[in-house]
Amino acid sequence: MSQFGPKVSNSMRLRGGGLPSSWVIQIDPRARIVAAFLFACSVVAMDGFVALGCALLTSVVLLVSAGLSGKKTLKKVMAMDGFIIFMLLMLPFTTPGEAWFNVGPFTATKEGVYKAIEITLKANAVVMTLLALVATIDAITLAHALNRLRVPENLVHLMLFSVRYIDVLKQEYFRLRTAMKARCFQMGNNLHTYRNVGYLLGMLLVRSIERSERILEAMKCRGFQGKFYLLDDFHFQRRDRLFSLLSFFFLLFLFTLDSYYG
Amino acid sequence: MDKLIDLQDIHFAYPAHEGTLKGVNFSLNAGERIAITGPNGAGKSTLFHIMVGLNKPNQGRVMAFGAERKIEADFKDVRRRIGLVFQDPDDQLFCPTVAEDIAFGVFNLGHKKDAAMEMVDRTLTHLRLNHLRDRATHNLSGGEKRLVSLACVLVMEPEILLLDEPTNALDEETQERLIEILNNLPQALVIISHDSHFRRKVTTSYLSLENGILVKPAPKCLHAAK
């Protein structure tokens, strides 16, 4: 273990991350982002189980063909499900409609159960598609692709700066923690701990602001005038056109399915 | 037991780096004042971190205060008795005000508020830093930060003081003050310093960390030999 604590995370993967190559990863990032976005919008608008089941199946197929590690991906999907699980459990008992079964004094309705299943299908389909298509793009490429897709520049630069400085912040945090440890600090459930962890976070904030001012000054010294220049080389190739076309027809197919069986 | 610290054949390597320390032997007796020099990245700070258990050696024994120290729990006691002043005062100072930062260590030792504040004031008076008591730590000057970070450690009344390049970026006046403070302390000292003037004034002997081992440097010129 280095003096900066555990090795820097790779949650923000930078360029050159050793991802296994699959056809999904070779598709132009812009096509993947747009496809994932349209897929998410469409799925949210649908309500038939057949179409939603089909969408979920597609997202699983995408996930598998992206060649991601099953265990990690499952963990991420579970994390999302963890957020909505309470809502899903409450829904059958709070939606008005035809009574179906009782749990203690509470009555579940058919409508509520259907609603809960629908939301589960939608949320999982969208998250898995995002994991397969968008999360496989490294953070810097993603920002560049968003820039090319005319996402406001300020947002793109905010993202790029976060990627650049998140590890600097992390290292600063670990240096402070080490120094606290050297002065016999132990975490505990007491006021002393809360106060000093608060100070620690506050100091990180103050230093980040000061650092950002220094960075801006250094940028100004190099002639910064509020304009960034992004260098990238995206090539929209035949396979990207093919992918876009396929995605488009697939979404059309889903909508047709939805209106027939919805 | 005379030896306060006794490092025996310490080997240490950071992950994915070749060995930093390759068999360091070092001992410190009560009242001794030793300076350590060596090129940048030689592992001097790492050596300090090993003494207080922030890094664990891959091989070798760390003896402190007459007992071998191996696991984290052993070092809790060691950190009470060895005060480490970090190279960058900003690493150490994180509380809003100077007084709170100095009190932090005292609270960690389990003192009550009244006793702690009294110790803080005594230390501030001792170092003649009373005027900084309620200042915000992050906008002190470099020299003030250095002296406050020293106060933060001294207030815990350690038996040994480890200073990592304490004269870095200090003006001459602050440096003289630091020398005066250090020379009036009863503690055993180990100082990492590249400043030969400072070393001569504060320490009595010096060692060099080269190629992963501590050696007694040969005098480079006739003046130094005297």
Side-chain angles (χ1 to χ4, degrees):
Chain A
M1 189 176 294
S2 83
Q3 60 181 334
F4 299 135
K7 270 283 167 230
V8 273
S9 72
N10 50 4
S11 59
M12 286 281 181
R13 234 174 301 105
L14 300 185
R15 262 161 209 258
L19 273 175
S21 72
S22 79
W23 66 267
V24 174
I25 283 152
Q26 284 169 7
I27 303 281
D28 189 297
R30 291 168 295 175
R32 277 146 72 190
I33 294 168
V34 173
F37 178 72
L38 290 180
F39 180 83
C41 293
S42 317
V43 166
V44 169
M46 292 172 196
D47 45 17
F49 283 130
V50 178
L52 287 177
C54 196
L56 187 69
L57 197 70
T58 315
S59 64
V60 172
V61 170
L62 281 175
L63 210 52
V64 171
S65 46
L68 293 174
S69 125
K71 212 172 161 190
K72 273 190 207 158
T73 313
L74 195 69
K75 236 180 179 172
K76 285 178 192 165
V77 176
M78 297 287 273
M80 187 275 305
D81 283 331
F83 272 113
I84 58 172
I85 188 119
F86 284 104
M87 191 191 69
L88 294 180
L89 291 179
M90 301 286 284
L91 217 46
F93 303 100
T94 50
T95 315
E98 189 189 336
W100 199 12
F101 60 87
N102 292 309
V103 177
F106 304 106
T107 309
T109 61
K110 240 179 194 159
E111 284 79 358
V113 174
Y114 287 149
K115 198 88 201 154
I117 296 175
E118 194 188 311
I119 291 176
T120 314
L121 288 176
K122 280 183 186 176
N124 282 296
V126 171
V127 165
M128 284 199 256
T129 309
L130 280 176
L131 282 177
L133 292 182
V134 180
T136 44
I137 307 172
D138 69 63
I140 291 176
T141 312
L142 180 62
H144 283 218
L146 289 174
N147 181 52
R148 288 291 203 88
L149 291 170
R150 305 293 153 100
V151 167
E153 266 198 354
N154 287 348
L155 291 181
V156 172
H157 294 302
L158 195 62
M159 176 168 175
L160 283 173
F161 272 108
S162 312
V163 174
R164 166 65 183 81
Y165 285 104
I166 206 155
D167 273 329
V168 175
L169 253 179
K170 192 167 173 178
Q171 287 177 13
E172 194 146 271
Y173 169 77
F174 278 114
R175 277 208 309 276
L176 278 173
R177 285 282 292 137
T178 311
M180 285 167 85
K181 210 166 149 193
R183 284 201 272 159
C184 299
F185 179 69
Q186 284 179 50
M187 286 278 190
N189 185 15
N190 51 42
L191 196 61
H192 177 62
T193 301
Y194 296 138
R195 181 184 301 119
N196 285 294
V197 170
Y199 287 167
L200 170 67
L201 296 179
M203 189 50 75
L204 277 179
L205 191 70
V206 170
R207 292 214 194 143
S208 313
I209 292 168
E210 286 181 345
R211 188 191 294 278
S212 68
E213 279 162 2
R214 287 199 300 276
I215 293 168
L216 182 63
E217 281 162 7
M219 283 161 67
K220 279 181 181 159
C221 290
R222 292 203 285 158
F224 175 69
Q225 287 171 331
K227 176 96 186 95
F228 292 92
Y229 304 91
L230 290 182
L231 306 174
D232 48 37
D233 46 349
F234 292 125
H235 298 291
F236 214 71
Q237 298 174 4
R238 229 190 75 197
R239 61 162 178 250
D240 304 322
R241 279 194 284 276
L242 199 66
F243 173 78
S244 311
L245 205 65
L246 270 175
S247 315
F248 177 71
F249 281 119
F250 176 71
L251 289 180
L252 263 185
F253 165 71
L254 276 187
F255 270 116
T256 323
L257 214 58
D258 194 46
S259 58
Y260 267 112
Y261 296 95
Chain B
M1 272 287 185
D2 284 331
K3 287 177 181 170
L4 297 178
I5 301 180
D6 192 12
L7 302 182
Q8 297 167 4
D9 192 32
I10 297 291
H11 288 254
F12 181 85
Y14 284 110
H17 285 273
E18 68 161 319
T20 311
L21 304 177
K22 302 167 185 164
V24 169
N25 290 297
F26 174 81
S27 63
L28 180 74
N29 296 316
E32 244 187 326
R33 294 165 162 255
I34 302 176
I36 295 178
T37 61
N40 299 118
K44 304 180 294 294
S45 304
T46 307
L47 191 64
F48 275 6
H49 285 217
I50 285 175
M51 288 180 200
V52 295
L54 294 171
N55 284 328
K56 302 283 187 297
N58 305 119
Q59 187 189 322
R61 277 153 46 101
V62 180
M63 308 279 290
F65 307 105
E68 185 171 3
R69 312 288 177 160
K70 274 186 176 163
I71 52 169
E72 182 70 12
D74 299 337
F75 282 104
K76 294 236 160 95
D77 169 58
V78 173
R79 287 184 204 137
R80 280 163 191 262
R81 299 166 73 176
I82 301 181
L84 169 59
V85 181
F86 282 66
Q87 188 171 342
D88 184 354
D90 277 324
D91 289 350
Q92 234 170 315
L93 306 175
F94 74 98
C95 295
T97 69
V98 170
E100 279 169 312
D101 216 306
I102 299 176
F104 169 74
V106 189
F107 283 127
N108 287 338
L109 296 183
H111 290 277
K112 290 276 170 292
K113 192 172 178 207
D114 292 340
M117 288 337 267
E118 195 199 307
M119 286 166 85
V120 169
D121 284 327
R122 202 182 328 136
T123 308
L124 282 171
T125 314
H126 174 204
L127 299 183
R128 285 183 281 132
L129 295 173
N130 273 318
H131 58 290
L132 299 179
R133 192 180 187 285
D134 296 312
R135 286 270 300 277
T137 47
H138 72 271
N139 53 28
L140 297 174
S141 76
E144 287 167 339
K145 275 184 189 170
R146 172 62 65 194
L147 294 175
V148 170
S149 68
L150 180 64
C152 288
V153 169
L154 280 181
V155 74
M156 297 170 75
E157 297 171 344
E159 293 164 50
I160 301 170
L161 211 51
L162 307 179
L163 300 155
D164 195 345
E165 305 204 19
T167 53
N168 257 6
L170 287 193
D171 60 32
E172 268 177 48
E173 197 189 324
T174 319
Q175 198 165 329
E176 289 304 321
R177 224 172 125 195
L178 185 66
I179 291 171
E180 185 202 325
I181 291 168
L182 292 177
N183 281 336
N184 284 315
L185 291 176
Q187 278 97 341
L189 291 179
V190 187
I191 299 179
I192 293 173
S193 178
H194 296 293
D195 180 343
S196 57
H197 167 79
F198 178 77
R199 279 202 309 261
R200 256 197 306 275
K201 287 213 159 174
V202 178
T203 57
T204 49
S205 65
Y206 92 97
L207 299 166
S208 177
L209 185 61
E210 283 163 24
N211 303 318
I213 49 169
L214 268 179
V215 290
K216 197 139 190 85
K220 285 195 179 129
C221 65
L222 288 173
H223 297 289
K226 281 176 190 170

